[in-house]
Amino acid sequence: MEEWKTYLVEDLIEEIAMGPFGSNIKVDCFQPTGVPVLNGSNLFGYKLNEDSFNYVSTEKADSLGRSNAFRGDIVITHRGTLGQIVYIPENSKHDRYVISQSQFRLKLNTTKVLPAYFVYFFHTRLGQHRLLSNASQVGVPAIARPTSTFRKVEIELPPISTQHRIVNILDSIGDKIELNSRINHNLAA
């Protein structure tokens, strides 16, 4: 049986980038269609929530370069509602998103860690503790130097085959919870 190994996040990522400077996306940039812009309402749970978006033009999204997130990327809030972390699933509605100024994103080395496993870990009590270990509650809650400090966070990983099995079990439980919620909502209606 293969051993679990401890990694620093920086050893698992291929790319990490902050959201755009606040003045780069203003309300007057929004339009009815285009490239969706992520906000806190999109970052609850484990997978990206795609219920509602604001949009910017393709040209505006192109101008924001590294603030574009794609399928398989992880998006994390570093200011405001701390502790939010989701992944963009391979079957997402859009193939590209723009992260907000309160978020950062990363692309993982998927030969070492699955995006879903990574996100599930950071939803555990231990994962949340590590994610928020450099948070400040003075003024607007924020993580100090978010991309620098997050790189130094430790995570214990099983082999990829074990990660797949764990993710399959957790996804199955999540699907059942979601189905029960929809049934309860329909019954209540």
Side-chain angles (χ1 to χ4, degrees), residues 25-175:
I25 300 181
K26 296 179 182 171
V27 173
D28 60 353
C29 294
F30 295 148
Q31 56 185 44
T33 62
V35 179
V37 178
L38 302 181
N39 63 45
S41 70
N42 303 115
L43 301 184
F44 65 85
Y46 302 95
K47 296 178 189 176
L48 180 68
N49 178 300
E50 299 190 271
D51 288 344
S52 69
F53 292 111
N54 289 313
Y55 297 89
V56 294
S57 69
T58 302
E59 295 76 25
K60 182 65 176 174
D62 290 345
S63 76
L64 298 172
R66 290 173 44 104
S67 296
N68 284 259
F70 301 90
R71 292 175 177 147
D73 284 358
I74 308 293
V75 181
I76 304 168
T77 300
H78 65 82
R79 187 178 64 211
T81 307
L82 300 180
Q84 294 178 304
I85 178 171
V86 300
Y87 70 98
I88 302 172
E90 293 301 323
N91 63 348
S92 63
K93 290 181 184 176
H94 302 275
D95 59 355
R96 170 166 72 149
Y97 303 83
V98 173
I99 61 175
S100 80
Q101 65 186 11
S102 298
Q103 301 162 351
F104 65 99
R105 67 155 187 90
L106 51 106
K107 184 174 298 304
L108 296 170
N109 176 339
T110 55
T111 64
K112 293 181 180 177
V113 62
L114 300 175
Y117 184 89
F118 189 86
V119 168
Y120 280 128
F121 172 79
F122 282 103
H123 277 266
T124 67
R125 184 177 300 169
L126 176 61
Q128 282 286 294
H129 173 74
R130 289 181 183 173
L131 178 62
L132 300 175
S133 62
N134 289 297
S136 166
Q137 299 299 322
V138 177
V140 175
I143 298 173
R145 299 179 342 270
T147 58
S148 299
T149 56
F150 191 64
R151 289 174 185 270
K152 300 301 180 191
V153 170
E154 287 187 344
I155 180 173
E156 295 79 22
L157 295 177
I160 284 285
S161 60
T162 304
Q163 290 179 46
H164 276 289
R165 288 195 302 277
I166 291 169
V167 165
N168 287 339
I169 291 167
L170 293 174
D171 281 350
S172 175
I173 292 168
D175 291 345

